[in-house]
Each structure stands twice: as structure tokens, then as C-alpha cells.
Amino acid sequence: MNEPIVSRRRIDQLRAIASDCGFRNEDAKRFGKLSRTATWEALLEAYGIPPQVVDTVDTVDNQLQSLDTENNLAPGLRVLGLDICKNSVVACLLTQKPTQPRDAYHSLEFFKLNADAAGIKQLLALKPDVALMEPTGINYQRLWGIQLAKVGVEVRLVSNNKLPSYRKTLDLPDKDDDADALALACYYFDYQHLPRRFLQVRDSITVRIRECCLRLAHYNRVQSPIINRLRQDLAWQFPEVMNVRSAMGEDDNLPPLLWGWIAGERNSSRYDRLYDLSVGSGIEDETRFAAKMYCDLAIQERRIEAELATLIKTDMRFLPYRKVFGRFGLGIQTQGIILSQVFPIQNFFGSDNKPEVVKTKGRNSKKTTTKRRSEARFMKSLGVAPTRQWSGDDQKKASQSGSDFCRKALWQWIFTRIEPQKNRPTNPTVDKLVTYFVEGKSQKQPIRLLRSRLAAKAARALWRELVAEIVGGLETVENALDE
């Protein structure tokens, strides 16, 4: 049988190698004209395939020895690692995981794409199937995630605390944008079938709930210094009202009466009379401007609160969660914070779609112990699960890890619903938490330590109540282990 005719032209040989590697003309166009040998050389060099002269296309396999196919569970998949910067990204495109990532770091081409129309066009021209990025600076990451999702690219998020150690396992000890982008792309090939290795991707309603909660927290931080500045100015401009507490009404969208009056947006005969008799030097324009700014923030805050309440109360998926939150006396904003973190609760379950509870021998005691793994994951997501730091004889538990946002929300719940006696909900679950808090105070326990432990107990009680409400009691699962 006659051997197939093989071209001796270098450009044809390079094209054949590129074709066997899964590259298309569109990929090569990024490096220049298709008729130029240098274009195809640059393409192959960018992906760690030396563009040396070959006699036949059969030697393509030798060119691919630098790529690890043993760990490549998705051959031909175009995986894009994106390291997010403030107004740009660094991109690394892989079709296979390199055997020697450090060598690939020096030979691969990395693309720096600006956050503009040209950068988005370049990003989409890479035609990725999957994109991986860290959620650092969620607002910076969001632009790229939205653009990729629009064209059907799967977007996965890798936790910020997982990437540094993984990057070192690739022998990429130096921290820079290119190394992070390469590590993110490699991460997919190692862990693509392990969902817990990636951060949960929330649905659009849950995402909006979280956005509302974050925006409300921001407005709260912004308002405090404005109010403080206003009271300082009123101390000499209109001292009779400097300590007046003026808030928005429950049912109206008007600004608070005092600040609205100062800003000229509301009328008040009472404040008119007080101002006429005031010993102050008179309200200045800067004070009126600050009051106007505060009124605008207060009105916008009310609008977001109304939207948040509507999102939570009109979605029937949240009904069992709201029932449990009501028992704990959680406010609408705290409900939104926790809901955006734990919904759906099935994400914490095991592979059988039930709370994961296992019995194993303790590493030190060698006694049979019950490990409530789903509960531990739930508590960690709320920021109240301590992390172990053992080294030699120094054995301690570090401060809680997880969501600072949720941990602060639980502390605020303690301040407003547990510590004030008149605000405490009355039901058996909360009664146990109140009893623990009162006994701790009577024993003179350090208040911060007591609140921290109470937050952890509250999270554990919240878990058990949610499981009982949504899927049934935990006792059924734990009793099955003894059968």
C-alpha cells in the first residue's frame, strides 16, 4: 500500500501539528496571517509545543510528550484560567495540563486583556469551554463572568485560600498574575469532578439578595460618619436639636423629619419655632448639603430594604427557611445574609442527598466518634467554625474561619435579640440559647468569648431546625448508623 503523501513544507507540517492538537484557523489568526510560517510557530510555542522541523505528521505524538494526558479528564476541552486585576485580567488557555507547569510558565503565552470592548472581544476570541477565576473583588470579577456566561461558557470559582497552596504544588512558588492564571487553568484538570473544590454558584434571586444585603451594609457604614459630622456642626449652629434621634417612619418613603427639615425637603413648625429661639449661630450651607446627602441615602436604603423583603417573601422556595428564621427572631436583613449563604441547604448534604453523618475512630482517643460533616460545613459557611492549628506541642484552635459577613450578622442578632431581655423570642430553641447566655454572664465569662460561643451554638441550632423543617429530623439519619 502506498504511503500517504506528506508535505515537506515547514508551514504545512506546523499546520498539521496544530490541527492534531485541536487548534483551528481562528486560534492561529491571533498570532498573525495564516499564510505566514511565523504565525503557526508562535501558536505552537504559546502552548508549549516546540515548532521544530518534522518529517511526517506521525511525529506529532512526540511533540505532545510535554503534556500530561494521564490527568486530563476532558481531552480537547479549552480551559481558561483568569487572574482578575482591577481593570484587566491575565488569561491562560490550556487544552491539557502540562507535565511540568514551571516549564510551561516560561513557554506559554499569557494574554493581558483590558476591561474594555477590545479586551472583551479578545477574551471571547479565545473560545473557552470553561473559565476559572477567584472571587477576589467580586465587582471586578463580575464583568468577565457575565460576558463569558452570555456566550455559554461555564464559569467556576476557586476559593482564595485554596489557590496559593495549589500553586506551590505545581512548583510555581513565585506569586504573580501569570502564575495564578496558569494554576487556575491546571486546577480544573485535577478537580473538575469534585464539586466541593469549587465555590457554590448561586442562582439569580439569591445573588440579588446578597447584593442587597451588601449594599445595605455599605450604606450603613457611609451614614455613620455623616450623622456624626452633622451632630458636631449642630452643636454650635443649632444645639437644641443636636441629640435628637430622627428616623424614617415605618410606612412612608419620606426622609427623617429633622434631617429632611434641615435639607429643606420637609416642613416642621416645631423645628421652625425652636430655630427662631436657638442660641446657635445658624445652620450653614455645608450642613444642609450633608443633611441632603443623608436623606438621599436613607431613602435609597428604604427602597433596597423593600426590594429585599419582596425577594424573600414572594419566593416560595424560601418559605421553610423563613419559618425557621422567624423562630429565632431574625430581621429581614439578617435573613437575607444567611439565606444567601446557605440556600439551598442540600448543598451541605452528602452524595445521598442527606445530612452527612459518619462514625469513625478518633485519631487520638481511638474511640468511636460521630462526625457531623454536613453540620460542620454549614457552621463554617456562617463563619463560626474554628480551624485547628497544631504544631508540635502547640495545639490550639484558631479564630473562626468562613464568612465574616455572616459572623457579624449573628453577633448583631445577639446584641439586639438575645441580650435585651424585652426583645427575646419565646420558644424552646431560643430559650436554651438565652439560658446559656445568662449562665455565662453570671459566671463572669469574658463577654466576647461568651458571644462567640453563643453564635456557634445558635448556628448549630439553626442547622438542626432547618434540616427538621426541610427534610426531616436528624435523628433518623443518626439512628441509621447504629443499625
Side-chain angles (χ1 to χ4, degrees):
M1 185 174 63
N2 295 331
E3 293 292 331
I5 299 175
V6 178
S7 173
R8 296 291 176 176
R9 288 203 313 160
R10 178 178 174 80
I11 187 172
D12 293 335
Q13 295 168 355
L14 295 174
R15 280 176 173 168
I17 295 174
S19 176
D20 284 353
C21 292
F23 296 115
R24 296 165 291 185
N25 288 344
E26 290 78 5
D27 303 315
K29 286 180 181 178
R30 294 185 291 105
F31 301 92
K33 294 182 178 180
L34 297 178
S35 59
R36 296 181 57 191
T37 302
T39 298
W40 298 93
E41 288 177 339
L43 170 65
L44 297 178
E45 286 178 354
Y47 295 93
I49 305 172
Q52 61 192 33
V53 177
V54 292
D55 290 334
T56 68
V57 294
D58 292 335
T59 58
V60 169
D61 291 338
N62 296 328
Q63 305 296 328
L64 297 178
Q65 288 179 355
S66 62
L67 298 176
D68 181 12
T69 57
E70 181 179 351
N71 293 328
N72 180 27
L73 300 179
L77 203 66
R78 298 170 67 81
V79 178
L80 188 67
L82 290 176
D83 186 64
I84 310 296
C85 307
K86 187 174 183 179
N87 57 356
S88 63
V89 295
V90 174
C92 174
L93 185 66
L94 295 179
T95 56
Q96 293 174 315
K97 180 185 174 184
T99 304
Q100 299 295 331
R102 185 160 190 152
D103 293 340
Y105 169 77
H106 295 290
S107 60
L108 286 173
E109 180 179 7
F110 296 90
F111 308 93
K112 183 166 185 180
L113 312 175
N114 294 323
D116 54 25
I120 297 298
K121 185 177 181 179
Q122 288 178 281
L123 174 72
L124 301 182
L126 295 175
K127 298 185 182 303
D129 297 303
V130 183
L132 285 86
M133 58 185 79
E134 295 177 280
T136 307
I138 185 170
N139 292 303
Y140 303 134
Q141 169 263 328
R142 187 174 178 181
L143 168 68
W144 306 96
I146 290 174
Q147 295 297 330
L148 289 166
K150 282 182 179 179
V151 295
V153 177
E154 179 186 358
V155 178
R156 294 201 184 188
L157 299 179
V158 179
S159 176
N160 304 102
N161 59 13
K162 285 184 169 58
L163 192 64
S165 57
Y166 178 75
R167 186 180 62 246
K168 290 182 180 180
T169 65
L170 300 178
D171 196 23
L172 298 171
D174 297 331
K175 169 72 172 74
D176 61 30
D177 296 339
D178 291 354
D180 281 348
L182 174 58
L184 283 166
C186 293
Y187 191 92
Y188 180 82
F189 291 104
D190 285 338
Y191 302 116
Q192 58 181 301
H193 295 314
L194 299 175
R196 296 197 188 281
R197 285 282 184 168
F198 301 91
L199 295 179
Q200 172 191 350
V201 179
R202 302 179 178 91
D203 64 75
S204 59
I205 300 298
T206 312
V207 168
R208 182 54 189 165
I209 289 175
R210 189 167 186 82
E211 288 174 352
C212 289
C213 293
L214 290 170
R215 189 69 65 179
L216 288 172
H218 168 69
Y219 285 153
N220 184 263
R221 290 192 300 269
V222 172
Q223 288 179 28
S224 296
I226 295 176
I227 286 291
N228 292 338
R229 181 72 261 176
L230 280 168
R231 295 194 187 282
Q232 292 173 30
D233 289 338
L234 290 175
W236 56 277
Q237 296 175 16
F238 190 5
E240 290 80 3
V241 298
M242 65 171 292
N243 292 320
V244 171
R245 292 186 174 275
S246 184
M248 296 184 70
E250 293 293 332
D251 301 321
D252 60 55
N253 287 320
L254 296 174
L257 181 58
L258 173 61
W259 310 116
W261 176 83
I262 294 175
E265 296 186 356
R266 296 192 65 175
N267 297 321
S268 172
S269 57
R270 175 173 175 267
Y271 289 129
D272 287 337
R273 291 193 300 270
L274 286 174
Y275 190 56
D276 290 338
L277 302 174
S278 176
V279 298
S281 61
I283 299 175
E284 298 188 353
D285 290 341
E286 290 183 353
T287 303
R288 297 189 186 279
F289 173 79
K292 175 68 167 62
M293 187 163 46
Y294 175 75
C295 289
D296 291 342
L297 287 171
I299 291 174
Q300 183 63 17
E301 185 179 42
R302 172 58 61 85
R303 290 172 180 166
I304 295 178
E305 287 175 345
E307 180 186 356
L308 177 62
T310 300
L311 289 171
I312 294 176
K313 292 179 180 180
T314 58
D315 195 320
M316 297 308 296
R317 297 176 301 166
F318 303 147
L319 182 58
Y321 296 83
R322 288 170 48 213
K323 289 181 180 178
V324 174
F325 293 156
R327 297 172 203 157
F328 285 78
L330 299 178
I332 197 67
Q333 188 172 346
T334 306
Q335 289 186 32
I337 293 171
I338 296 178
L339 195 60
S340 67
Q341 190 74 6
V342 306
F343 179 83
I345 199 170
Q346 287 81 359
N347 286 337
F348 300 99
F349 292 174
S351 56
D352 59 353
N353 203 32
K354 295 180 180 179
E356 188 175 0
V357 181
V358 298
K359 290 196 173 184
T360 60
K361 284 188 177 181
R363 296 179 60 189
N364 298 316
S365 66
K366 305 303 180 184
K367 297 180 180 178
T368 301
T369 59
T370 301
K371 302 289 187 181
R372 299 177 176 86
R373 292 177 177 171
S374 293
E375 180 181 298
R377 287 193 287 265
F378 178 86
M379 294 182 64
K380 187 171 183 178
S381 73
L382 295 184
V384 293
T387 56
R388 179 186 297 167
Q389 288 187 345
W390 286 10
S391 178
D393 295 331
D394 185 12
Q395 298 184 358
K396 62 180 181 180
K397 291 184 178 180
S399 59
Q400 290 106 334
S401 63
S403 172
D404 291 335
F405 197 32
C406 290
R407 188 186 311 120
K408 291 176 182 177
L410 288 174
W411 275 57
Q412 289 171 349
W413 171 75
I414 292 172
F415 293 147
T416 58
R417 300 293 284 176
I418 299 298
E419 295 194 21
Q421 187 172 353
K422 62 180 181 180
N423 292 342
R424 294 169 182 168
T426 55
N427 59 72
T429 301
V430 177
D431 288 345
K432 292 180 182 178
L433 298 174
V434 171
T435 301
Y436 176 82
F437 178 76
V438 172
E439 290 179 353
K441 286 194 70 175
S442 65
Q443 296 169 2
K444 307 295 184 182
Q445 292 185 21
I447 190 63
R448 288 182 60 86
L449 178 62
L450 179 58
R451 287 169 179 158
S452 179
R453 289 175 174 172
L454 181 60
K457 284 185 172 293
R460 184 175 289 109
L462 184 62
W463 161 258
R464 299 185 73 87
E465 292 281 334
L466 285 171
V467 171
E469 182 69 34
I470 297 170
V471 296
L474 283 171
E475 292 76 11
T476 304
V477 178
E478 297 186 11
N479 292 339
L481 297 175
D482 299 325
E483 297 178 355

